Amino acid sequence: MEEFIDYISNSKIIIHNASFDVGFINAELIRCNMKELNEDNIIDTLILAKEKFMGQSVSLDSLCRKYNIDLTGRDVHGALKDAKLLASVYLELIG
């Protein structure tokens, strides 16, 4: 965990549905007697998407389709592929 915290430092962390992932990360940090993530450094694309597309599906797949982002190879969930897709979605969300 120390290596992870050193790696992210004070960077902004872009997460889709951050409350889910941050819950796991913070639980591990607590288990390691470390401080929880600073919420100010977390950008939740789910919240951004819900504000932009009220009442519509805002899953990562749905957002990729809305922005014509290629979903080829996303047959199976994969962290690296999802991170790359989310980076593209985030750039579209912020204009």
Side-chain angles (χ1 to χ4, degrees):
M1 285 308 288
E2 288 177 14
E3 189 176 333
F4 171 71
I5 293 301
D6 287 343
Y7 177 75
I8 64 171
S9 185
N10 287 321
S11 302
K12 294 290 182 187
I13 305 167
I14 313 300
I15 305 175
H16 195 73
N17 194 10
S19 61
F20 180 81
D21 292 323
V22 171
F24 286 105
I25 294 167
N26 281 339
E28 186 65 19
L29 288 167
I30 290 167
R31 195 180 72 73
C32 294
N33 296 314
M34 299 175 74
K35 288 188 334 184
E36 294 181 26
L37 292 178
N38 180 348
E39 297 283 329
D40 293 337
N41 290 341
I42 298 169
I43 298 171
D44 190 342
T45 54
L46 183 64
I47 292 170
L48 295 176
K50 283 183 176 183
E51 291 171 358
K52 191 166 189 166
F53 299 108
M54 284 193 260
Q56 298 179 41
S57 174
V58 289
S59 67
L60 184 56
D61 283 349
S62 294
L63 292 169
C64 287
R65 286 191 289 276
K66 285 180 193 317
Y67 290 120
N68 295 315
I69 296 169
D70 185 11
L71 285 165
T72 303
R74 191 163 193 269
D75 306 331
V76 178
H77 173 77
L80 184 57
K81 179 70 174 179
D82 287 1
K84 289 177 180 180
L85 292 171
L86 185 58
S88 297
V89 165
Y90 175 67
L91 292 174
E92 293 289 344
L93 285 169
I94 63 170

Short mmCIF file of all heavy atoms in Angstrom, two decimals, residues 19-65:
data_model
loop_
_atom_site.label_atom_id
_atom_site.label_comp_id
_atom_site.label_asym_id
_atom_site.label_seq_id
_atom_site.Cartn_x
_atom_site.Cartn_y
_atom_site.Cartn_z
N SER A 19 -17.41 5.56 -5.21
CA SER A 19 -17.74 5.07 -3.86
C SER A 19 -17.50 3.57 -3.74
O SER A 19 -17.09 3.09 -2.68
CB SER A 19 -19.18 5.42 -3.49
OG SER A 19 -20.09 4.82 -4.39
N PHE A 20 -17.71 2.83 -4.80
CA PHE A 20 -17.48 1.39 -4.79
C PHE A 20 -16.00 1.07 -4.63
O PHE A 20 -15.59 0.38 -3.71
CB PHE A 20 -18.05 0.76 -6.07
CG PHE A 20 -17.86 -0.73 -6.15
CD1 PHE A 20 -18.73 -1.58 -5.48
CD2 PHE A 20 -16.82 -1.27 -6.89
CE1 PHE A 20 -18.55 -2.96 -5.55
CE2 PHE A 20 -16.64 -2.65 -6.97
CZ PHE A 20 -17.51 -3.49 -6.29
N ASP A 21 -15.18 1.60 -5.54
CA ASP A 21 -13.75 1.30 -5.53
C ASP A 21 -13.04 1.90 -4.33
O ASP A 21 -12.19 1.25 -3.72
CB ASP A 21 -13.09 1.80 -6.81
CG ASP A 21 -13.54 1.03 -8.04
OD1 ASP A 21 -13.74 -0.19 -7.92
OD2 ASP A 21 -13.70 1.64 -9.11
N VAL A 22 -13.38 3.13 -3.99
CA VAL A 22 -12.72 3.80 -2.88
C VAL A 22 -13.01 3.08 -1.57
O VAL A 22 -12.15 3.02 -0.68
CB VAL A 22 -13.11 5.29 -2.82
CG1 VAL A 22 -12.62 5.96 -1.55
CG2 VAL A 22 -12.56 6.02 -4.05
N GLY A 23 -14.18 2.50 -1.46
CA GLY A 23 -14.50 1.71 -0.26
C GLY A 23 -13.50 0.58 -0.05
O GLY A 23 -13.02 0.36 1.06
N PHE A 24 -13.19 -0.13 -1.12
CA PHE A 24 -12.22 -1.23 -1.03
C PHE A 24 -10.81 -0.71 -0.74
O PHE A 24 -10.08 -1.27 0.08
CB PHE A 24 -12.20 -2.05 -2.33
CG PHE A 24 -13.39 -2.94 -2.50
CD1 PHE A 24 -14.39 -2.61 -3.39
CD2 PHE A 24 -13.51 -4.11 -1.77
CE1 PHE A 24 -15.50 -3.43 -3.55
CE2 PHE A 24 -14.61 -4.94 -1.92
CZ PHE A 24 -15.61 -4.60 -2.81
N ILE A 25 -10.44 0.36 -1.43
CA ILE A 25 -9.10 0.91 -1.23
C ILE A 25 -8.94 1.42 0.20
O ILE A 25 -7.94 1.12 0.86
CB ILE A 25 -8.82 2.04 -2.25
CG1 ILE A 25 -8.77 1.47 -3.68
CG2 ILE A 25 -7.51 2.76 -1.91
CD1 ILE A 25 -8.80 2.52 -4.77
N ASN A 26 -9.93 2.16 0.68
CA ASN A 26 -9.83 2.70 2.04
C ASN A 26 -9.84 1.59 3.08
O ASN A 26 -9.15 1.69 4.10
CB ASN A 26 -10.93 3.71 2.30
CG ASN A 26 -10.61 5.07 1.70
OD1 ASN A 26 -9.46 5.38 1.42
ND2 ASN A 26 -11.63 5.86 1.49
N ALA A 27 -10.60 0.54 2.86
CA ALA A 27 -10.61 -0.59 3.80
C ALA A 27 -9.21 -1.20 3.90
O ALA A 27 -8.75 -1.53 5.01
CB ALA A 27 -11.62 -1.63 3.36
N GLU A 28 -8.54 -1.33 2.78
CA GLU A 28 -7.18 -1.87 2.79
C GLU A 28 -6.21 -0.90 3.46
O GLU A 28 -5.33 -1.32 4.22
CB GLU A 28 -6.73 -2.19 1.37
CG GLU A 28 -5.39 -2.88 1.28
CD GLU A 28 -5.36 -4.27 1.90
OE1 GLU A 28 -6.42 -4.88 2.11
OE2 GLU A 28 -4.24 -4.76 2.17
N LEU A 29 -6.36 0.39 3.19
CA LEU A 29 -5.51 1.39 3.83
C LEU A 29 -5.67 1.34 5.35
O LEU A 29 -4.69 1.38 6.10
CB LEU A 29 -5.81 2.79 3.30
CG LEU A 29 -5.33 3.06 1.88
CD1 LEU A 29 -5.95 4.34 1.34
CD2 LEU A 29 -3.81 3.14 1.82
N ILE A 30 -6.91 1.26 5.81
CA ILE A 30 -7.17 1.17 7.26
C ILE A 30 -6.54 -0.09 7.83
O ILE A 30 -5.92 -0.06 8.89
CB ILE A 30 -8.69 1.22 7.53
CG1 ILE A 30 -9.22 2.63 7.21
CG2 ILE A 30 -9.01 0.83 8.97
CD1 ILE A 30 -10.74 2.71 7.13
N ARG A 31 -6.69 -1.20 7.12
CA ARG A 31 -6.10 -2.46 7.56
C ARG A 31 -4.58 -2.34 7.71
O ARG A 31 -3.97 -2.99 8.56
CB ARG A 31 -6.46 -3.58 6.57
CG ARG A 31 -6.21 -4.98 7.09
CD ARG A 31 -6.59 -6.05 6.09
NE ARG A 31 -5.70 -6.14 4.96
CZ ARG A 31 -4.46 -6.65 5.00
NH1 ARG A 31 -3.96 -7.09 6.13
NH2 ARG A 31 -3.73 -6.73 3.92
N CYS A 32 -3.98 -1.48 6.89
CA CYS A 32 -2.53 -1.27 6.93
C CYS A 32 -2.14 -0.09 7.83
O CYS A 32 -1.00 0.38 7.78
CB CYS A 32 -2.01 -1.02 5.52
SG CYS A 32 -2.17 -2.43 4.43
N ASN A 33 -3.11 0.38 8.62
CA ASN A 33 -2.87 1.52 9.53
C ASN A 33 -2.39 2.77 8.79
O ASN A 33 -1.47 3.46 9.24
CB ASN A 33 -1.88 1.14 10.63
CG ASN A 33 -2.43 0.07 11.53
OD1 ASN A 33 -3.58 0.15 11.96
ND2 ASN A 33 -1.63 -0.95 11.80
N MET A 34 -3.02 3.03 7.65
CA MET A 34 -2.67 4.20 6.84
C MET A 34 -3.89 5.10 6.70
O MET A 34 -5.02 4.66 6.93
CB MET A 34 -2.15 3.76 5.47
CG MET A 34 -0.89 2.91 5.54
SD MET A 34 -0.38 2.28 3.94
CE MET A 34 0.28 3.77 3.20
N LYS A 35 -3.64 6.35 6.31
CA LYS A 35 -4.73 7.30 6.11
C LYS A 35 -5.56 6.91 4.89
O LYS A 35 -5.02 6.42 3.90
CB LYS A 35 -4.19 8.71 5.89
CG LYS A 35 -3.61 9.36 7.11
CD LYS A 35 -3.26 10.84 6.92
CE LYS A 35 -2.94 11.24 5.51
NZ LYS A 35 -2.52 12.63 5.36
N GLU A 36 -6.86 7.19 4.96
CA GLU A 36 -7.74 6.96 3.83
C GLU A 36 -7.41 7.96 2.72
O GLU A 36 -6.76 8.97 2.95
CB GLU A 36 -9.20 7.12 4.26
CG GLU A 36 -9.64 6.05 5.24
CD GLU A 36 -11.10 6.21 5.64
OE1 GLU A 36 -11.89 6.78 4.86
OE2 GLU A 36 -11.45 5.75 6.73
N LEU A 37 -7.89 7.65 1.51
CA LEU A 37 -7.67 8.54 0.38
C LEU A 37 -8.33 9.89 0.64
O LEU A 37 -9.40 9.97 1.24
CB LEU A 37 -8.26 7.95 -0.90
CG LEU A 37 -7.59 6.71 -1.47
CD1 LEU A 37 -8.33 6.24 -2.71
CD2 LEU A 37 -6.13 6.97 -1.79
N ASN A 38 -7.70 10.94 0.15
CA ASN A 38 -8.26 12.27 0.24
C ASN A 38 -9.36 12.40 -0.82
O ASN A 38 -9.09 12.35 -2.02
CB ASN A 38 -7.16 13.30 0.00
CG ASN A 38 -7.64 14.72 0.08
OD1 ASN A 38 -8.83 15.00 0.10
ND2 ASN A 38 -6.71 15.65 0.12
N GLU A 39 -10.59 12.56 -0.37
CA GLU A 39 -11.74 12.62 -1.30
C GLU A 39 -11.61 13.78 -2.30
O GLU A 39 -12.17 13.72 -3.39
CB GLU A 39 -13.04 12.77 -0.51
CG GLU A 39 -13.36 11.59 0.40
CD GLU A 39 -13.89 10.38 -0.34
OE1 GLU A 39 -14.56 10.54 -1.38
OE2 GLU A 39 -13.63 9.26 0.14
N ASP A 40 -10.88 14.82 -1.93
CA ASP A 40 -10.69 15.97 -2.83
C ASP A 40 -9.90 15.58 -4.08
O ASP A 40 -9.93 16.30 -5.08
CB ASP A 40 -9.98 17.11 -2.12
CG ASP A 40 -10.82 17.72 -1.01
OD1 ASP A 40 -12.06 17.58 -1.05
OD2 ASP A 40 -10.23 18.32 -0.09
N ASN A 41 -9.17 14.48 -4.02
CA ASN A 41 -8.35 14.04 -5.15
C ASN A 41 -9.08 13.05 -6.05
O ASN A 41 -8.50 12.55 -7.00
CB ASN A 41 -7.05 13.40 -4.66
CG ASN A 41 -6.12 14.42 -4.05
OD1 ASN A 41 -6.25 15.61 -4.28
ND2 ASN A 41 -5.17 13.97 -3.26
N ILE A 42 -10.34 12.78 -5.75
CA ILE A 42 -11.09 11.77 -6.51
C ILE A 42 -12.14 12.45 -7.39
O ILE A 42 -12.92 13.27 -6.91
CB ILE A 42 -11.74 10.75 -5.57
CG1 ILE A 42 -10.64 10.01 -4.80
CG2 ILE A 42 -12.64 9.78 -6.34
CD1 ILE A 42 -11.14 9.18 -3.66
N ILE A 43 -12.12 12.11 -8.66
CA ILE A 43 -13.13 12.58 -9.60
C ILE A 43 -13.96 11.38 -10.02
O ILE A 43 -13.42 10.41 -10.56
CB ILE A 43 -12.48 13.24 -10.83
CG1 ILE A 43 -11.67 14.47 -10.39
CG2 ILE A 43 -13.54 13.61 -11.87
CD1 ILE A 43 -10.81 15.06 -11.48
N ASP A 44 -15.25 11.45 -9.73
CA ASP A 44 -16.15 10.33 -10.05
C ASP A 44 -16.88 10.62 -11.35
O ASP A 44 -17.75 11.49 -11.41
CB ASP A 44 -17.14 10.13 -8.90
CG ASP A 44 -17.95 8.86 -9.03
OD1 ASP A 44 -18.01 8.30 -10.15
OD2 ASP A 44 -18.53 8.42 -8.03
N THR A 45 -16.52 9.89 -12.39
CA THR A 45 -17.15 10.10 -13.70
C THR A 45 -18.61 9.69 -13.70
O THR A 45 -19.38 10.18 -14.53
CB THR A 45 -16.38 9.36 -14.80
OG1 THR A 45 -16.27 7.98 -14.45
CG2 THR A 45 -15.01 9.96 -15.02
N LEU A 46 -19.01 8.82 -12.78
CA LEU A 46 -20.43 8.47 -12.69
C LEU A 46 -21.26 9.69 -12.32
O LEU A 46 -22.31 9.94 -12.90
CB LEU A 46 -20.64 7.34 -11.67
CG LEU A 46 -22.06 6.82 -11.54
CD1 LEU A 46 -22.54 6.17 -12.83
CD2 LEU A 46 -22.16 5.84 -10.38
N ILE A 47 -20.76 10.47 -11.37
CA ILE A 47 -21.47 11.69 -10.96
C ILE A 47 -21.50 12.70 -12.11
O ILE A 47 -22.54 13.29 -12.40
CB ILE A 47 -20.81 12.29 -9.70
CG1 ILE A 47 -21.04 11.36 -8.51
CG2 ILE A 47 -21.35 13.69 -9.41
CD1 ILE A 47 -20.25 11.71 -7.27
N LEU A 48 -20.36 12.87 -12.78
CA LEU A 48 -20.31 13.80 -13.92
C LEU A 48 -21.31 13.37 -15.00
O LEU A 48 -22.03 14.20 -15.56
CB LEU A 48 -18.91 13.83 -14.53
CG LEU A 48 -17.79 14.39 -13.67
CD1 LEU A 48 -16.44 14.25 -14.39
CD2 LEU A 48 -18.04 15.83 -13.31
N ALA A 49 -21.35 12.07 -15.28
CA ALA A 49 -22.23 11.56 -16.34
C ALA A 49 -23.70 11.70 -15.94
O ALA A 49 -24.54 12.04 -16.79
CB ALA A 49 -21.90 10.10 -16.63
N LYS A 50 -24.02 11.45 -14.68
CA LYS A 50 -25.42 11.59 -14.22
C LYS A 50 -25.90 13.03 -14.35
O LYS A 50 -27.06 13.27 -14.66
CB LYS A 50 -25.56 11.11 -12.79
CG LYS A 50 -25.59 9.61 -12.66
CD LYS A 50 -25.80 9.19 -11.21
CE LYS A 50 -25.93 7.69 -11.09
NZ LYS A 50 -26.22 7.27 -9.71
N GLU A 51 -25.01 13.98 -14.13
CA GLU A 51 -25.36 15.39 -14.28
C GLU A 51 -25.58 15.75 -15.75
O GLU A 51 -26.47 16.51 -16.08
CB GLU A 51 -24.27 16.29 -13.69
CG GLU A 51 -24.17 16.21 -12.18
CD GLU A 51 -22.96 16.91 -11.61
OE1 GLU A 51 -22.12 17.45 -12.39
OE2 GLU A 51 -22.81 16.90 -10.37
N LYS A 52 -24.78 15.16 -16.60
CA LYS A 52 -24.85 15.47 -18.04
C LYS A 52 -25.97 14.72 -18.75
O LYS A 52 -26.58 15.24 -19.68
CB LYS A 52 -23.51 15.16 -18.70
CG LYS A 52 -23.38 15.69 -20.09
CD LYS A 52 -21.95 15.65 -20.56
CE LYS A 52 -21.84 16.39 -21.87
NZ LYS A 52 -20.47 16.67 -22.23
N PHE A 53 -26.23 13.49 -18.33
CA PHE A 53 -27.22 12.63 -18.99
C PHE A 53 -28.28 12.19 -18.00
O PHE A 53 -28.48 11.00 -17.78
CB PHE A 53 -26.53 11.41 -19.61
CG PHE A 53 -25.50 11.73 -20.64
CD1 PHE A 53 -24.14 11.58 -20.37
CD2 PHE A 53 -25.87 12.20 -21.90
CE1 PHE A 53 -23.18 11.88 -21.32
CE2 PHE A 53 -24.91 12.50 -22.86
CZ PHE A 53 -23.57 12.34 -22.57
N MET A 54 -28.96 13.14 -17.40
CA MET A 54 -29.97 12.83 -16.38
C MET A 54 -31.01 11.83 -16.89
O MET A 54 -31.53 11.97 -18.00
CB MET A 54 -30.68 14.10 -15.93
CG MET A 54 -29.86 14.94 -15.01
SD MET A 54 -30.84 16.20 -14.21
CE MET A 54 -30.42 17.60 -15.21
N GLY A 55 -31.23 10.80 -16.08
CA GLY A 55 -32.24 9.81 -16.40
C GLY A 55 -31.83 8.78 -17.44
O GLY A 55 -32.62 7.91 -17.79
N GLN A 56 -30.61 8.87 -17.94
CA GLN A 56 -30.14 7.93 -18.95
C GLN A 56 -29.13 6.96 -18.33
O GLN A 56 -28.58 7.21 -17.26
CB GLN A 56 -29.47 8.68 -20.10
CG GLN A 56 -30.40 9.62 -20.85
CD GLN A 56 -29.67 10.35 -21.95
OE1 GLN A 56 -28.85 9.76 -22.66
NE2 GLN A 56 -29.95 11.63 -22.10
N SER A 57 -28.90 5.87 -19.02
CA SER A 57 -27.89 4.92 -18.57
C SER A 57 -26.51 5.58 -18.68
O SER A 57 -26.18 6.18 -19.71
CB SER A 57 -27.92 3.66 -19.43
OG SER A 57 -26.85 2.80 -19.07
N VAL A 58 -25.73 5.47 -17.61
CA VAL A 58 -24.40 6.07 -17.61
C VAL A 58 -23.33 5.05 -17.21
O VAL A 58 -22.32 5.37 -16.60
CB VAL A 58 -24.33 7.33 -16.71
CG1 VAL A 58 -25.10 8.47 -17.33
CG2 VAL A 58 -24.82 7.04 -15.31
N SER A 59 -23.57 3.79 -17.58
CA SER A 59 -22.54 2.78 -17.37
C SER A 59 -21.37 3.11 -18.30
O SER A 59 -21.51 3.90 -19.24
CB SER A 59 -23.08 1.39 -17.71
OG SER A 59 -23.34 1.29 -19.11
N LEU A 60 -20.23 2.53 -18.04
CA LEU A 60 -19.07 2.78 -18.89
C LEU A 60 -19.37 2.39 -20.34
O LEU A 60 -19.06 3.14 -21.26
CB LEU A 60 -17.84 2.04 -18.37
CG LEU A 60 -16.53 2.28 -19.10
CD1 LEU A 60 -16.19 3.77 -19.17
CD2 LEU A 60 -15.41 1.49 -18.45
N ASP A 61 -20.01 1.26 -20.54
CA ASP A 61 -20.37 0.84 -21.90
C ASP A 61 -21.30 1.85 -22.55
O ASP A 61 -21.10 2.22 -23.71
CB ASP A 61 -21.05 -0.53 -21.88
CG ASP A 61 -20.08 -1.68 -21.69
OD1 ASP A 61 -18.86 -1.46 -21.76
OD2 ASP A 61 -20.55 -2.81 -21.46
N SER A 62 -22.32 2.30 -21.83
CA SER A 62 -23.27 3.27 -22.38
C SER A 62 -22.58 4.56 -22.76
O SER A 62 -22.85 5.14 -23.82
CB SER A 62 -24.38 3.57 -21.37
OG SER A 62 -25.17 2.44 -21.14
N LEU A 63 -21.69 5.03 -21.91
CA LEU A 63 -20.97 6.27 -22.20
C LEU A 63 -20.06 6.11 -23.41
O LEU A 63 -19.96 7.01 -24.25
CB LEU A 63 -20.19 6.73 -20.98
CG LEU A 63 -21.06 7.19 -19.81
CD1 LEU A 63 -20.21 7.37 -18.55
CD2 LEU A 63 -21.80 8.47 -20.16
N CYS A 64 -19.42 4.96 -23.52
CA CYS A 64 -18.58 4.70 -24.70
C CYS A 64 -19.43 4.75 -25.96
O CYS A 64 -19.02 5.34 -26.98
CB CYS A 64 -17.87 3.36 -24.58
SG CYS A 64 -16.53 3.36 -23.38
N ARG A 65 -20.61 4.16 -25.92
CA ARG A 65 -21.49 4.19 -27.09
C ARG A 65 -21.93 5.63 -27.39
O ARG A 65 -21.96 6.04 -28.55
CB ARG A 65 -22.67 3.26 -26.90
CG ARG A 65 -22.31 1.78 -27.04
CD ARG A 65 -23.53 0.88 -27.10
NE ARG A 65 -24.22 0.78 -25.83
CZ ARG A 65 -23.90 -0.03 -24.83
NH1 ARG A 65 -22.87 -0.85 -24.96
NH2 ARG A 65 -24.60 -0.06 -23.72
#
